[in-house]
Amino acid sequence: MFKIVKKEILNPLVKLMEIEAPYVARKAEPGQFIILRTDEMGERIPLTIADYDRSKGTITIIFQEVGKTTQVLGAMNEGDSILDFAGPLGVASHLDGIKKAAVIGGGLGTAIAYPQAKKLHENGAVVHSIVGFRNKDLIVLEKEMKEVSTELFVTTDDGSNGNKGFVTDELKKLLESGNQYDLVIAIGPLVMMKFVSKLTKEYGVKTIVSMNPVMIDGTGMCGGCRVTVGGKTKFACVDGPDFDGHLVDFDEAIRRQSMYKREEEKVSKEHKCKLGGALDG
Amino acid sequence: MANMSLEKVNMPVQEPNKRNKNFQEVALGYTEDMAMEEAQRCLHCKHKPCVNGCPVNVQIPDFIKLVSEGKFQEAYEKITETNNLPAICGRVCPQESQCEKLCVRGIKGEPVGIGRLERFVADWAMKNNKTSEPKNDKLNQKVAILGSGPAGLSCAADLAKMGYSVTIFEAFHAAGGVLMYGIPEFRLPKDLVQKEIENVKKLGVEIKTNMVIGKVMSIDEIMEEGFEAVFIGAGAGLPRFMGIPGENLNGVYSANEFLTRINLMKAYKFPEYDTPVKVGKNVAVVGGGNVAMDAARSAKRLGAKSVFIVYRRSENEMPARIEELHHAKEEGIIFKLLTNPTKIIGTCDGWVKGMECISMELGEADSSGRRRPVEKEGSEHIIDVETVVIAIGQSPNPLISSTTPDLEVQKWGGIVTDEETGATSKPGVYAGGDIVTGAATVILAMGAGKKAAKAIDEYLQSAK
């Protein structure tokens, strides 16, 4: 069992938890992920490691309540325990030797982009961070990102924070004004990563994206997380989750992401009904 | 006087047309009377040919004699002297190519039903809550076992019996390895697997789940924590794909994923359990081994109307056990033999709608001694299916070997070991089971675990 030592509500949809998992914390690096299961009937879901504290032996996860498992997780509190928590899985991001980088986070992807920006910052790199949200109420980790970025740009789709636009608009401006990046890291919805990669390809800037497909074991055993990269099939769990954004077949990834949509909606809806029933009763 | 019937006492099974709609066990097991009657068919040959066919050396005539006398507890103790997982072996061992193959009664008629008797004894002991008493001369030495499948469990149990302090590290949330994620409930009930594992724990073995060795810790780090020897039984966990167009369409599974969803994650109980699995009206399973049979029979149980086994050779070359083939046929699985997939065809939104195949004929024998299938030109045809499960084999999982630089590995990924001892190129590190041989059987993995346990004991005692 893995104890929740801290819970924070970042916005109405997004929660942060610090989980006691000393073995995982000892080895965790930016770019890696964990797999958790909340209870005996639950699914195994992958979540990217948002932060880690080796001395406290904790792993931070940040998640949005999009399906049943994340809803169940979100309803848990400090002091509760998660049944299963395995990691750190996947290959850590290669950030050594990068002098100047643009780190892009889309929505919840910001939580995953944060440890990368932090590591780059610790390595002494110039970090331009661009994070985008649908509206200003959904903005998360602005303060944290600011601390580890040379410059931070926050965009909103509806302009409610005073900076209307997409992350790609901001990135384009930076590239246009002559910024030369060794690396662009894009983390967020598949569509966003697709368009960032398309843009950086035009400018010939190396880009890595973090894939988060459906998977079960996270150790290379099921092959459910297949991603086509440069025409070859890769397993996101052991070959990734970072891949060259210019080579990823995003359209296939978007299609595969939707494979269990109907089933996910079914269990999520039934879960909500049950909760609703309990509240009414 | 021996029972001279030429046939085994029949074992009751669920009716094919009933069982292909549920996940309960197919074979129902002997009653006490049936077991005693079957046990009387054993001739108690002095040279015990059957024992030579058993990778874990079960004293077969001895335990069968005890069964014939109705001494079931004693029979159980006799079996567990050498076999740590009898309820499992009695169900999934290929007895027809091991102990029963060498049975003298098999020369004329059917061999003694050794597997059925082993299963009966183990189930009897479980039902009556009997376990073997552990011997407990504690040695103050720690051994780590990586993987809790048949190889790891059998190695761990033997070492614990010798008095070592044994810890198993398991990557999944549940112990059992392929016994939990691979073999379906209807062949090997999971509560029974857990009971056998409980018995191993009673010997003093500790099992740590959620520990992905190679990621969370390396072998060197394990040894730094005071473990003096390590046994790697991490299995053949890497699924093979065919490399044909359309394999990443929605609705294409590796057998590993398909079976893990169903068995370990209990997708057959969705939505009671949260993990779903997609099974179309028509399903093609590619491959001819036991895993292919398991996947096909599972698909049928999940409501598929037509389930095809697509295999490129003929039935004679199929690696699946005859019993499994027979059960699959009874349950209505359709065999498309001498047929090889060339392409998976998708709908415009990326879901499987068919599989293009080509017919094959058998040519000259290849290196495996089986006749090589050759394509028949112009024989391409399409099978309409919405789900494709690829069951053409697994390779050893590289997570451990890739993080242990001084571990010698074959080109195809298997760990190099000494055949007799399981010793690897790294001192104090042993390996056995599918991670060494590539995908094989439960009992061979158990045999390898046993051998390694003996070798580890000798290594640790001589190092003193």
Side-chain angles (χ1 to χ4, degrees):
Chain A
M1 299 287 270
F2 300 82
K3 204 165 135 191
I4 301 165
V5 293
K6 184 177 156 192
K7 178 182 176 181
E8 216 177 290
I9 294 164
L10 299 185
N11 77 28
L13 298 174
V14 176
K15 287 171 181 157
L16 172 150
M17 280 180 182
E18 244 178 77
I19 315 289
E20 206 170 76
Y23 278 103
V24 186
R26 225 161 63 174
K27 281 294 189 72
E29 293 288 344
Q32 290 188 296
F33 65 96
I34 56 94
I35 284 198
L36 64 79
R37 196 173 69 130
T38 53
D39 58 273
E40 206 47 58
M41 317 286 226
E43 253 193 297
R44 291 170 63 94
I45 62 155
L47 287 175
T48 307
I49 293 169
D51 207 351
Y52 48 86
D53 187 325
R54 300 206 206 285
S55 60
K56 272 165 69 187
T58 57
I59 294 286
T60 303
I61 51 172
I62 297 178
F63 57 93
Q64 192 163 347
E65 295 185 14
V66 286
K68 183 182 166 189
T69 307
T70 42
Q71 287 159 12
V72 170
L73 187 64
M76 294 173 92
N77 290 307
E78 280 175 18
D80 292 346
S81 287
I82 296 171
L83 186 58
D84 299 296
F85 194 89
L89 301 167
V91 181
S93 305
H94 299 293
L95 303 175
D96 291 344
I98 303 293
K99 302 257 179 331
K100 186 172 179 180
V103 178
I104 325 277
L108 185 70
T110 305
I112 309 162
Y114 168 68
Q116 322 257 358
K118 186 176 164 193
K119 182 90 177 186
L120 284 163
H121 176 72
E122 283 166 7
N123 289 356
V126 172
V127 181
H128 289 174
S129 298
I130 309 165
V131 292
F133 301 89
R134 285 210 309 275
N135 61 56
K136 72 172 178 7
D137 296 331
L138 299 177
I139 295 173
V140 291
L141 299 181
E142 188 172 1
K143 185 174 129 273
E144 288 83 352
M145 278 307 260
K146 201 162 198 153
E147 282 168 9
V148 298
S149 306
T150 319
E151 282 190 69
L152 173 68
F153 306 88
V154 184
T155 66
T156 44
D157 298 1
D158 67 353
S160 52
N161 77 329
N163 187 20
K164 186 176 159 79
F166 295 118
V167 289
T168 37
D169 302 331
E170 205 68 55
L171 178 62
K172 192 169 172 143
K173 269 190 258 170
L174 288 166
L175 289 165
E176 283 291 322
S177 62
N179 281 289
Q180 303 266 349
Y181 298 111
D182 301 324
L183 182 69
V184 171
I185 301 174
I187 303 171
L190 288 165
V191 178
M192 180 215 98
M193 297 197 285
K194 176 181 168 177
F195 283 103
V196 169
S197 300
K198 209 172 147 199
L199 175 68
T200 57
K201 197 168 182 179
E202 287 167 27
Y203 289 84
V205 186
K206 189 181 167 195
T207 300
I208 60 172
V209 296
S210 178
M211 304 300 281
N212 187 23
V214 173
M215 59 177 78
I216 303 177
D217 59 295
T219 65
M221 202 205 83
C222 79
C225 62
R226 304 197 290 288
V227 179
T228 301
V229 183
K232 290 203 176 87
T233 295
K234 299 278 181 192
F235 290 179
C237 67
V238 286
D239 301 321
D242 288 355
F243 291 107
D244 183 337
H246 298 159
L247 299 177
V248 168
D249 183 340
F250 285 105
D251 295 336
E252 180 189 271
I254 290 166
R255 172 168 59 63
R256 288 185 66 81
Q257 193 78 301
S258 71
M259 188 154 160
Y260 298 101
K261 218 169 162 208
R262 228 188 313 156
E263 287 77 7
E264 280 159 11
E265 278 164 9
K266 184 178 163 77
V267 284
S268 169
K269 206 173 138 206
E270 281 178 15
H271 177 65
K272 278 186 187 155
C273 288
K274 254 190 240 167
L275 282 183
L279 289 174
D280 293 343
Chain B
M1 184 54 206
N3 164 2
M4 291 313 288
S5 162
L6 292 182
E7 281 164 21
K8 291 178 185 176
V9 174
N10 214 14
M11 175 145 71
V13 293
Q14 268 198 75
E15 283 297 317
N17 263 323
K18 198 176 136 209
R19 73 179 190 238
N20 66 11
K21 293 169 194 71
N22 69 53
F23 272 82
Q24 283 143 33
E25 203 173 3
V26 169
L28 302 171
Y30 280 159
T31 60
E32 292 187 6
D33 288 341
M34 289 174 183
M36 287 168 72
E37 188 187 339
E38 179 62 22
Q40 276 151 16
R41 292 185 64 233
C42 177
L43 300 175
H44 303 286
C45 312
K46 283 236 157 53
H47 64 304
K48 302 178 186 175
C50 49
V51 178
N52 294 328
C54 177
V56 298
N57 217 27
V58 169
Q59 295 304 302
I60 294 162
D62 296 357
F63 100 74
I64 291 184
K65 182 157 189 292
L66 292 163
V67 174
S68 71
E69 293 164 357
K71 295 178 181 162
F72 305 132
Q73 171 68 20
E74 289 85 345
Y76 180 69
E77 278 161 18
K78 182 53 73 182
I79 295 173
T80 50
E81 275 174 18
T82 60
N83 186 347
N84 299 309
L85 309 168
I88 293 165
C89 293
R91 286 172 168 81
V92 303
C93 267
Q95 289 97 9
E96 66 282 359
S97 55
Q98 297 181 160
C99 51
E100 292 183 18
K101 187 182 175 187
L102 302 171
C103 175
V104 171
R105 292 297 306 263
I107 298 168
K108 196 179 162 201
E110 286 186 337
V112 176
I114 301 169
R116 294 176 181 187
L117 289 172
E118 183 180 38
R119 169 189 165 142
F120 163 77
V121 171
D123 288 1
W124 182 91
M126 242 177 223
K127 214 168 76 196
N128 294 284
N129 272 324
K130 305 285 187 195
T131 48
S132 302
E133 283 301 308
K135 280 184 245 150
N136 249 341
D137 312 325
K138 277 280 165 223
L139 294 164
N140 216 359
Q141 284 172 295
K142 293 196 329 183
V143 181
I145 310 279
L146 315 186
S148 63
L153 285 173
S154 112
C155 188
D158 273 16
L159 286 165
K161 282 181 189 165
M162 293 173 200
Y164 292 98
S165 163
V166 182
T167 305
I168 300 182
F169 295 93
E170 165 58 43
F172 261 128
H173 57 260
V178 73
L179 307 170
M180 286 302 285
Y181 72 72
I183 304 175
E185 179 78 17
F186 56 84
R187 278 217 291 140
L188 185 63
K190 301 305 151 219
D191 59 341
L192 184 145
V193 174
Q194 289 308 314
K195 277 186 194 154
E196 288 278 50
I197 292 171
E198 281 308 312
N199 287 340
V200 174
K201 282 193 192 162
K202 278 184 197 151
L203 298 169
V205 173
E206 190 192 354
I207 302 181
K208 288 192 171 177
T209 52
N210 294 311
M211 291 294 274
V212 184
I213 303 303
K215 283 291 172 192
V216 73
M217 282 171 105
S218 67
I219 288 187
D220 286 327
E221 284 165 327
I222 287 174
M223 294 183 110
E224 280 162 22
E225 292 211 345
F227 290 94
E228 294 178 49
V230 176
F231 173 77
I232 310 170
L238 211 63
R240 278 191 213 133
F241 288 90
M242 292 179 288
I244 60 172
E247 268 183 315
N248 290 349
L249 287 166
N250 291 7
V252 181
Y253 287 104
S254 73
N256 267 1
E257 180 181 1
F258 190 69
L259 290 172
T260 302
R261 282 180 179 273
I262 297 168
N263 300 327
L264 181 73
M265 306 310 296
K266 302 214 176 345
Y268 68 93
K269 292 185 181 167
F270 179 87
E272 185 193 346
Y273 282 73
D274 293 343
T275 306
V277 66
K278 288 271 185 191
V279 177
K281 222 166 84 184
N282 307 291
V283 178
V285 178
V286 183
N290 290 325
V291 173
M293 300 303 137
D294 285 345
R297 296 170 69 193
S298 297
K300 188 84 188 174
R301 281 163 172 76
L302 288 166
K305 250 185 138 151
S306 306
V307 181
F308 306 99
I309 287 273
V310 177
Y311 181 57
R312 64 197 179 119
R313 306 185 198 235
S314 75
E315 192 171 314
N316 287 332
E317 289 82 22
M318 272 201 171
R321 289 182 66 191
I322 292 164
E323 186 187 317
E324 302 307 327
L325 245 163
H326 175 72
H327 279 155
K329 279 187 185 166
E330 277 184 349
E331 289 168 16
I333 308 298
I334 304 156
F335 284 69
K336 288 201 170 282
L337 303 169
L338 290 164
T339 304
N340 203 25
T342 47
K343 187 168 33 171
I344 302 168
I345 302 156
T347 59
C348 53
D349 52 355
W351 288 82
V352 174
K353 69 167 187 183
M355 186 163 79
E356 188 194 85
C357 297
I358 189 162
S359 301
M360 312 291 279
E361 52 197 353
L362 292 179
E364 302 287 304
D366 64 10
S367 58
S368 73
R370 297 181 297 180
R371 290 177 65 192
R372 206 163 64 88
V374 187
E375 288 184 358
K376 267 199 223 168
E377 218 173 300
S379 66
E380 287 88 350
H381 56 282
I382 290 170
I383 311 175
D384 292 331
V385 289
E386 299 82 38
T387 308
V388 174
V389 181
I390 299 166
I392 57 167
Q394 302 94 245
S395 312
N397 195 316
L399 266 188
I400 292 172
S401 51
S402 65
T403 51
T404 315
D406 40 352
L407 200 64
E408 202 186 319
V409 177
Q410 314 260 19
K411 234 194 223 139
W412 51 270
I415 296 177
V416 178
T417 59
D418 177 276
E419 211 175 303
E420 264 319 293
T421 63
T424 67
S425 57
K426 191 174 167 70
V429 179
Y430 295 75
D434 286 2
I435 191 112
V436 170
T437 56
T441 61
V442 167
I443 188 69
L444 285 175
M446 285 179 58
K450 265 191 110 60
K451 273 187 188 170
K454 188 164 163 273
I456 288 171
D457 178 46
E458 281 162 12
Y459 167 78
L460 292 177
Q461 293 313 311
S462 68
K464 266 186 177 173

